[in-house]
Amino acid sequence: MVRYITNSKKEEAMVSKKELVLRAFRGEEVDRVPVGFWFHFVSQEEKMLGLDNPVIFNKSVEGHAAYVRAARPDFVKIMSDGFFKYPSALYSDHIESIRDLAAIQSIGEHHPWIEQQIEMVKAVKASYPEDLASFYNIFAPVSYLKRWFRREGSRGDREIADFLAEDSELTGHVLDVIAGDIAILTRRIIEEAGIEGIYLSTQQIQDGRVDEASYRRYIEPSTIKVLEAANAAGGQNILHICGFEGASNDLELFKDYPAQVFNWATHHEGVSLAEGRKLFGGQAVLGGFENGRAALLNTGSRAELENETKRLLAETGSQGVILGADCTVPDDFEIERLDWIRQAASQF
């Protein structure tokens, strides 16, 4: 569980936190650079089991509420904990061929998997003690498909590469059907739950058989379809290019994606926030801190975190920048550390 350490000092701001964050997204001048980190609130197994499960639903809502009360964050990334698994009727542990999925159909506009996520986001937002910008965690369609094949020794990348080798056009079709449902979820959750946008997590296929040409032709269109739906719904959206031990990305692949903010593993990919600003055409960037358990964020002293905060801002600037982590931080992260970084950023 997250260990909460609160700070009683009141924050003073010229604008609301929501407006502060949205100004940073737009690359405008800000009174201080926003800061935000995020956690999971359920177990690894529970991430896949939230559909029609009120215990996991409530655990997620209560976890978000407790975090917001304790951390007073500048914004909230609402986790899709419990809903990591796309619920196609064709799902089976025995799928061995992409042709097994040839009959895939949309789950429909009002499937419980969609309805319950909307209700969860509404419940999380209703728990806020103040008006905060919120961004809901959505995965790229290929990530939902990969999860069907996650087992010991595989994250699903090998299976996606196998499917593309077997029938690339059918694989693209399956991803397009999934993308249509994720686009529905995205549109409805922005419009009906009143969030500011989505945090779309994507990643290259971690198999050398899937080259850039195959990725762009058969996988990328489904990801873009979701982003375009989020944009059409009026979202201010974050693209998360997920990199961690064992998974790397060529950031060039994603530089023209239609997102407003870009977040990637600055340390793992070896591309700093400042370098990313240039790569992504001056768009707003989010991150800067490595999220691993042994990283400075989780182990450094207050002075070390303050110095790193100031170094990042001196290097990157203070416009179009939101300080955060490469990805989700450990569950036992001490919330006080977030406040150290926020105070250092406000003094920059």
Side-chain angles (χ1 to χ4, degrees):
M1 296 296 293
V2 177
R3 184 149 65 96
Y4 297 117
I5 301 176
T6 60
N7 187 326
S8 60
K9 182 179 178 181
K10 291 184 177 180
E11 279 190 359
E12 296 179 0
M14 297 294 292
V15 298
S16 69
K17 289 179 181 178
K18 177 187 282 190
E19 180 59 24
L20 175 75
V21 169
L22 294 178
R23 286 185 184 181
F25 274 35
R26 296 191 295 263
E28 299 173 2
E29 290 188 7
V30 291
D31 299 313
R32 63 177 178 83
V33 172
V35 175
F37 299 98
W38 43 90
F39 313 82
H40 290 296
F41 301 104
V42 304
S43 70
Q44 187 67 28
E45 181 182 33
E46 289 171 332
K47 292 175 186 177
M48 307 278 279
L49 303 175
L51 180 61
D52 297 324
N53 190 325
V55 173
I56 295 176
F57 182 102
N58 291 331
K59 186 175 181 180
S60 179
V61 172
E62 291 164 6
H64 282 90
Y67 163 68
V68 171
R69 287 195 305 269
R72 311 179 327 279
D74 291 331
F75 66 94
V76 182
K77 179 199 168 190
I78 301 178
M79 295 299 206
S80 52
D81 287 350
F83 297 95
F84 277 29
K85 189 174 182 178
Y86 173 77
S88 171
L90 293 181
Y91 172 73
S92 166
D93 288 330
H94 304 294
I95 291 172
E96 296 181 354
S97 165
I98 190 61
R99 295 188 178 91
D100 294 336
L101 301 177
I104 191 170
Q105 295 182 346
S106 168
I107 62 175
E109 177 103 9
H110 299 289
H111 190 281
W113 188 74
I114 293 175
E115 298 288 350
Q116 289 172 28
Q117 289 186 76
I118 295 170
E119 290 308 308
M120 184 184 73
V121 172
K122 287 181 177 179
V124 169
K125 281 200 64 183
S127 73
Y128 296 168
E130 59 183 315
D131 193 19
L132 296 168
S134 299
F135 306 90
Y136 187 57
N137 184 67
I138 295 281
F139 292 101
V142 73
S143 297
Y144 288 108
L145 182 57
K146 281 169 58 175
R147 282 201 174 84
W148 286 5
F149 310 104
R150 278 197 170 184
R151 53 183 65 92
E152 187 175 351
S154 174
R155 293 194 182 109
D157 298 275
R158 182 181 66 241
E159 287 78 3
I160 299 299
D162 288 343
F163 292 163
L164 286 168
E166 178 188 6
D167 191 330
S168 54
E169 295 293 339
L170 179 55
T171 303
H173 168 69
V174 170
L175 290 173
D176 184 64
V177 172
I178 297 172
D181 289 335
I182 307 308
I184 290 170
L185 169 65
T186 293
R187 172 182 57 79
R188 289 193 60 200
I189 218 158
I190 292 173
E191 293 178 350
E192 297 178 33
I195 59 171
E196 279 57 52
I198 63 169
Y199 178 99
L200 180 62
S201 177
T202 191
Q203 186 184 81
Q204 281 182 260
I205 301 303
Q206 305 298 303
D207 189 302
R209 291 174 292 167
V210 183
D211 60 14
E212 178 180 348
S214 294
Y215 182 89
R216 289 200 183 280
R217 180 168 181 179
Y218 301 111
I219 296 174
E220 183 176 276
S222 60
T223 307
I224 298 296
K225 186 172 185 174
V226 175
L227 269 177
E228 287 179 341
N231 288 335
Q236 296 295 305
N237 307 301
I238 304 163
L239 183 71
H240 171 60
I241 307 162
C242 189
F244 53 87
E245 185 177 355
S248 297
N249 300 279
D250 177 3
L251 298 185
E252 288 277 347
L253 269 179
F254 306 95
K255 67 178 183 179
D256 296 319
Y257 277 37
Q260 288 70 47
V261 182
F262 290 82
N263 171 234
W264 67 97
T266 53
H267 294 76
H268 182 73
E269 310 291 10
V271 178
S272 69
L273 280 183
E275 292 167 335
R277 284 296 303 275
K278 295 177 182 178
L279 176 66
F280 294 114
Q283 292 284 82
V285 294
L286 163 63
F289 286 92
E290 187 176 3
N291 61 298
R293 193 171 296 279
L296 177 69
L297 179 63
N298 203 47
T299 63
S301 67
R302 177 169 187 165
E304 288 173 324
L305 287 177
E306 289 174 342
N307 289 337
E308 178 64 4
T309 299
K310 293 172 183 177
R311 185 195 69 79
L312 285 168
L313 295 180
E315 180 178 85
T316 312
S318 58
Q319 287 184 235
V321 176
I322 305 95
L323 291 178
D326 292 345
C327 198
T328 307
V329 299
D331 292 346
D332 57 356
F333 180 78
E334 295 179 354
I335 297 298
E336 187 177 29
R337 293 173 171 275
L338 185 156
D339 207 49
W340 295 345
I341 295 168
R342 185 165 48 200
Q343 289 185 45
S346 70
Q347 296 166 9
F348 180 75

